[in-house]
Amino acid sequence: MIKHYVLSINPHPEYEWDRHNLRDPLSGQRPDLAALVAAEIEKIPGSYLVSVNLEVTVLEQAPVSKSELAKPELSLPGQTSEAKLKQVEKLAV
């Protein structure tokens, strides 16, 4: 079985689970890998010890902008950089 997915790697995700994102290129849905394996054994009830071979071939890589690679800054509108620093220090304590 050959499946194609889009892998997105975010170096600075808002949440850790969004660091590596695997999606179906047509539907945008996250693949249910367990369901794919179950489909290969025809969903016959029971418990199985399975071996899954994963071969990854990069077909295309989209360019990444420099802004996506840069670590996002904490932005507090209407404050000078000194005031922002003080606010961040308060939050860290």
Side-chain angles (χ1 to χ4, degrees):
M1 160 180 25
I2 295 178
K3 296 284 186 178
H4 293 89
Y5 298 105
V6 174
L7 173 66
S8 299
I9 299 173
N10 182 355
H12 307 291
E14 184 175 353
Y15 301 104
E16 188 59 32
W17 59 82
D18 281 337
R19 183 171 303 278
H20 305 106
N21 203 337
L22 195 63
R23 300 256 181 204
D24 181 284
L26 299 177
S27 69
Q29 298 291 321
R30 293 179 188 244
D32 183 354
L33 298 178
L36 293 173
V37 172
E40 288 297 306
I41 57 171
E42 300 174 1
K43 298 183 182 179
I44 300 170
S47 296
Y48 299 87
L49 174 62
V50 298
S51 172
V52 178
N53 296 321
L54 179 66
E55 180 182 329
V56 177
T57 304
V58 176
L59 301 175
E60 183 178 339
Q61 180 181 2
V64 178
S65 68
K66 290 182 181 180
S67 64
E68 290 179 23
L69 294 175
K71 191 168 186 176
E73 291 184 23
L74 177 63
S75 178
L76 302 173
Q79 293 182 339
T80 65
S81 58
E82 288 179 7
K84 290 178 186 178
L85 181 59
K86 288 179 183 177
Q87 182 70 22
V88 170
E89 288 173 349
K90 285 181 184 178
L91 293 172
V93 175

